[in-house]
């Protein structure tokens, strides 16, 4: 998601170094004891199985959470422990519980609102995002996270573990700070480091998030901002969020960031597909943001393609319109962007998450119900909303459409299975 802080008049850093080739992407050990510690059911969780994947150039392994050849859909998974585990949870869920798994709701990182928490609980919401800013540090954040995890649904006597995410990119996009958290520099500064250095430091940042109970970072940014556009690019360049100005630099450094997080067992999300590097307006604060440059064959898609080959488990889709790909829909509502470009052309098998569908000006012309249904109908899986108050309208609309449309119901079921498979691979389901 993009941000709304006041723009600073800083100079941009010096020219970026040429990135070193990626070394092996390390598959972190599955968090076998994390389910109980993080609010999951007591008992051991088996480590997720590893498999060979299609590799990015220079990569020799996968990131945790997804193989690039695996689909979370039971229709495409071969019989395995993962399939059995996902089926066990899926089959035991009510329709309302399944729909709740599709939602990631915002929770203030500094001061959670009890009314909002109750709304999330009543709607069986399966994942949360820590929003705003908190300087409380790792221990206080962990206490908050554990309390929220305690309200997760139980299915068949076991709690369905939650994804707990946040925006922890660095620079002006760092939600969590205080004792135990490093001050993370901007993406552009990270892009000036060697990939070895970035991977090492990213692993440390991920360990800090893990200590705070966060298991999913809504980062890294895979958007390529041309040097000629620079700070005129509202959502990325004006905040120095990009790793660099060429696809190669962004690819190598976004992969290094994800690889470091993989070593610590924290999942990552590459964003904002198919890229916000060519736009001027910020979709959080501006309607009708358009990219009239990017095509399905643009080199700016390289960082996404590389991350997908490396096995990144989540891809976030933007709220801009790409006139040379699908001029009729914003990306998050586009079957062309999600179904054809991301799924078929780039071969992504993991979880497609939206940019914020709760408060962004880019979607204000749609009701919350329309936002949820449009995203899922286009092939999206997890709905991110920083506003919990819109969740009831979203979940009701989804259930209503499921009753009316068998094709839509099949898409919802596929999305639930993908999310449960990602949770299984993150050690959030008890799969004995």
């Amino acid at each position: 998601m993009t941000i709304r802080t006041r723009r600073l008049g800083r100079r941009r850093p010096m020219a970026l170094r040429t990135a070193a080739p990626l070394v092996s992407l390390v598959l972190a050990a599955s968090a076998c004891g994390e389910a109980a510690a993080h609010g999951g059911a007591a008992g051991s969780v088996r480590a997720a199985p590893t498999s060979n994947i299609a590799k990015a150039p220079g990569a020799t392994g996968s990131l945790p959470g997804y193989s690039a050849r695996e689909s979370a859909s039971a229709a495409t998974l071969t019989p395995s422990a993962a399939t059995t585990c996902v089926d066990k949870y899926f089959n035991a869920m009510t329709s309302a519980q399944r729909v709740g798994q599709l939602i990631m709701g915002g929770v203030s990182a500094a001061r959670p609102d009890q009314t909002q928490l109750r709304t999330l609980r009543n709607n069986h919401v399966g994942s949360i995002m820590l929003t705003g800013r908190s300087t409380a540090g790792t221990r206080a954040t962990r206490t908050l996270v554990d309390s929220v995890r305690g309200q997760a649904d139980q299915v068949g006597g076991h709690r369905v573990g939650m994804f707990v995410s946040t925006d922890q990119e660095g620079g002006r996009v760092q939600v969590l700070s205080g004792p135990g958290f490093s001050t993370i520099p901007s993406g552009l500064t990270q892009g000036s480091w060697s990939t070895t250095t970035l991977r090492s430091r990213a692993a440390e940042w991920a360990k800090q998030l893990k200590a705070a109970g966060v298991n999913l970072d809504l980062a890294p940014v895979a958007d390529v901002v041309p040097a000629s556009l620079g700070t005129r690019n509202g959502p990325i360049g004006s905040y120095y969020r990009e790793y660099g100005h060429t696809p190669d630099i962004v690819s190598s450094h976004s992969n290094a960031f994800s690889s470091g997080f993989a070593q610590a067992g924290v999942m990552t999300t590459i964003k904002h597909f198919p890229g916000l590097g060519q736009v001027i307006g910020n979709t959080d604060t501006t309607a009708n943001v358009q990219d009239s440059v990017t095509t399905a064959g643009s080199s700016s898609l390289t960082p996404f393609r590389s991350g997908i080959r490396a096995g990144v488990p989540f891809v976030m889709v933007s709220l801009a319109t790409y006139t040379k790909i699908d001029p009729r829909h914003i990306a998050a509502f586009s079957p062309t962007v999600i179904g054809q470009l991301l799924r078929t052309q780039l071969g992504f098998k993991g979880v497609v998450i939206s940019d914020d569908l709760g408060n962004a000006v880019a979607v204000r012309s749609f009701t919350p119900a329309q936002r949820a249904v449009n995203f899922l109908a286009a092939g999206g899986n997890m709905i991110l909303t920083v506003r919990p108050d819109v969740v009831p309208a979203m979940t009701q609309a989804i259930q209503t459409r499921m009753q009316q449309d068998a094709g839509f119901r099949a898409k919802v079921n596929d999305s639930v299975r993908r999310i449960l498979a990602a949770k299984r691979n993150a050690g959030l389901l008890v799969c004995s």
Side-chain angles (χ1 to χ4, degrees), residues 21-186:
L22 282 175
V23 298
S24 298
L25 296 177
V26 181
L27 179 63
S30 180
C32 295
E34 294 295 319
H38 288 180
S44 63
V45 180
R46 290 182 181 173
T50 60
S51 61
N52 296 324
I53 65 166
K55 298 175 179 66
T60 58
S62 66
L63 303 178
Y66 258 91
S67 158
R69 290 181 183 167
E70 270 186 341
S71 168
S73 169
T76 55
L77 271 175
T78 55
S80 65
T83 308
T84 302
C85 180
V86 167
D87 284 344
K88 180 179 72 173
Y89 278 85
F90 180 87
N91 293 334
M93 285 179 168
T94 66
S95 177
Q97 287 175 324
R98 291 174 184 172
V99 171
Q101 290 298 307
L102 306 177
I103 307 292
M104 176 176 282
V107 173
S108 170
R111 189 173 299 176
D113 181 281
Q114 293 304 311
T115 299
Q116 294 180 340
L117 289 175
R118 186 162 52 251
T119 297
L120 298 179
R121 182 175 64 253
N122 291 344
N123 287 274
H124 309 281
V125 168
S127 300
I128 64 168
M129 176 191 177
L130 301 179
T131 63
R133 292 290 186 272
S134 170
T135 59
T138 56
R139 293 182 64 181
T141 302
R142 180 58 178 266
T143 299
L144 183 159
V145 168
D146 285 348
S147 69
V148 176
R149 275 199 168 101
Q151 73 177 35
D153 275 5
Q154 290 198 21
V155 174
H158 296 297
R159 199 175 299 282
V160 185
M162 284 186 165
F163 278 124
V164 177
S165 73
T166 197
D167 272 328
Q168 200 84 339
E169 299 172 19
R172 296 166 67 190
V173 187
Q174 181 173 343
V175 171
L176 303 176
S177 60
F181 288 112
S182 299
T183 298
I184 305 174
S186 70

Side-chain angles (χ1 to χ4, degrees), residues 326 329-341 374 377-379 411:
D326 182 354
H329 304 95
I330 67 172
F333 300 161
S334 169
T336 301
V337 170
I338 298 176
Q340 294 182 29
L341 183 55
N374 288 351
K411 288 184 176 182

